[in-house]
Amino acid sequence: MPSETLWEIAKAEVEKRSSNGSESDGVEIGEKSVFFIGSKNGGKTTIILRCLDRDEPPKPTLALEYTYGRKAKGHNIPKDIAHFWELGGGTSLLDLISVPITSDTLRTFSIVLVLDLSKPNDLWPTMENLLQATKSHVNKVIMKLGKKNSKASSEMRQKIWSNMQKDHPDREIIDPFPIPLVIIGSKYDIFQDFDSEKRKVICKTLRFVAHYYGASLMFTSKSEALLLKIRGVINQLAFGIDKSKSICVDQNKPLFITAGLDSLNQIGSPPVPDNDIGKLHARSPMELWKKVYERLFPPKNTNTLKDIKDPARDPQYAESEVDEMRIQKDQIPPVHSCIF
């Protein structure tokens, strides 16, 4: 047989890559996405800037923002790319969660939930709304992916158990989040001055939620040492750097628990008197923890907790001259045209 020409070899290589690309839904190896969601003004932007070594003051996030980072793997090797998405507005813009999470990006996607520890009454509603909305959308995308690539969908569902040892005693109880999840408690410098009983309830509750979802949990503040630890965790999600095995479950110190290293036995039961547990009617462990948490930290009135849907009316984006022109425009009566 005649030897293949250079053109034929190149053509075969392109076809081979195209075939592999269809199996992996077009996701290029070396590219990962990290989506930051969480409390309004909770410090998401600060964490992203620190991870990217950008020395600039954080600005309020309007709606959905994107940036990226690169990391060299070696000499003459293409750099890995990390896509960073950030959802602003706390829980007011849940519809935008679907923008970055698609069947093309899902297999290399991670979620970072940043919760403001200094506002414990807002913590559970923020966490619950964001995780429910994200999980619902991710499951829809996985179902869609499964219709055109059942193998990829199956691999994803198996992968979510990778952080949990096969002989872990809680394996039958927990319900891992469909994609990697990290929960970060921010503003620890304020939180550490809380009453010890309040800190105990918040720590135990977040440990349960993180463990139930197969997530990592860690606290941070403006401390350089804590930010460096968080940076290491984010780099692991973004660039595949080795995962930290360190652990701290002491409620008097910043928590740092890698996914799969905690247990319900270590966390203990919900912090409520035994004779009161029977009075709390709950259909699931998660609901029981919610009821216990909200006894100490009742959520604010729904009307005050509800974020402003229109960012143009959000006080943090106020600009006097623009706002005055907007008011004048709103006051002008509409002109109705009549056609005879």
Side-chain angles (χ1 to χ4, degrees), residues 107-155:
R107 294 172 68 189
T108 56
F109 216 93
S110 301
I111 300 292
V112 176
L113 173 65
V114 181
L115 298 172
D116 187 342
L117 296 174
S118 71
K119 298 178 180 178
N121 296 80
D122 293 344
L123 192 148
W124 189 282
T126 299
M127 175 176 65
E128 184 177 55
N129 289 331
L130 286 168
L131 288 183
Q132 285 182 353
T134 305
K135 186 177 182 180
S136 174
H137 176 68
V138 169
N139 283 332
K140 288 178 183 177
V141 176
I142 291 177
M143 287 183 63
K144 181 181 177 182
L145 177 64
K147 291 179 181 179
K148 63 177 182 179
N149 191 336
S150 58
K151 181 181 178 183
S153 177
S154 177
E155 286 176 352

Side-chain angles (χ1 to χ4, degrees), residues 79-244:
K79 293 181 179 180
D80 284 338
I81 301 173
H83 305 279
F84 292 93
W85 297 85
E86 181 185 356
L87 181 69
T91 60
S92 65
L93 301 168
L94 297 178
D95 292 344
L96 294 180
I97 287 175
S98 62
V99 174
I101 307 177
T102 67
S103 56
D104 290 331
T105 62
L106 188 63
R107 294 172 68 189
T108 56
F109 216 93
S110 301
I111 300 292
V112 176
L113 173 65
V114 181
L115 298 172
D116 187 342
L117 296 174
S118 71
K119 298 178 180 178
N121 296 80
D122 293 344
L123 192 148
W124 189 282
T126 299
M127 175 176 65
E128 184 177 55
N129 289 331
L130 286 168
L131 288 183
Q132 285 182 353
T134 305
K135 186 177 182 180
S136 174
H137 176 68
V138 169
N139 283 332
K140 288 178 183 177
V141 176
I142 291 177
M143 287 183 63
K144 181 181 177 182
L145 177 64
K147 291 179 181 179
K148 63 177 182 179
N149 191 336
S150 58
K151 181 181 178 183
S153 177
S154 177
E155 286 176 352
M156 281 201 65
R157 296 189 184 281
Q158 292 176 8
K159 188 178 178 182
I160 63 176
W161 290 97
S162 61
N163 290 324
M164 185 69 63
Q165 295 179 355
K166 291 183 178 180
D167 59 349
H168 197 290
D170 304 333
R171 198 174 174 87
E172 301 298 322
I173 303 172
I174 67 169
D175 182 20
F177 208 72
I179 55 179
L181 171 66
V182 171
I183 300 176
I184 297 177
S186 65
K187 303 186 182 180
Y188 176 78
D189 49 329
I190 300 174
F191 170 79
Q192 66 182 348
D193 293 329
F194 281 12
D195 173 77
S196 62
E197 189 60 30
K198 290 184 177 181
R199 281 189 282 112
K200 176 183 176 183
V201 172
I202 294 172
C203 287
K204 290 190 69 170
T205 301
L206 288 179
R207 283 181 64 187
F208 170 79
V209 173
H211 183 59
Y212 183 81
Y213 283 127
S216 296
L217 171 66
M218 51 216 58
F219 290 174
T220 190
S221 66
K222 295 178 181 179
S223 160
E224 185 65 20
L226 291 178
L227 284 172
L228 278 174
K229 294 184 76 172
I230 295 298
R231 180 184 176 184
V233 172
I234 303 303
N235 278 340
Q236 191 276 321
L237 296 176
F239 301 109
I241 295 171
D242 290 343
K243 193 179 297 185
S244 172

Side-chain angles (χ1 to χ4, degrees), residues 80 97 134 137 142 171 206 252 280 304 307 322 329 331 338:
D80 284 338
I97 287 175
T134 305
H137 176 68
I142 291 177
R171 198 174 174 87
L206 288 179
N252 296 311
L280 298 173
T304 58
D307 286 322
V322 176
K329 181 180 178 182
Q331 290 175 344
C338 298

Side-chain angles (χ1 to χ4, degrees), residues 61-76:
T61 302
L62 180 62
L64 184 67
E65 295 196 2
Y66 167 83
T67 188
Y68 69 94
R70 296 174 182 268
K71 188 173 183 65
K73 291 190 291 186
H75 186 61
N76 290 333

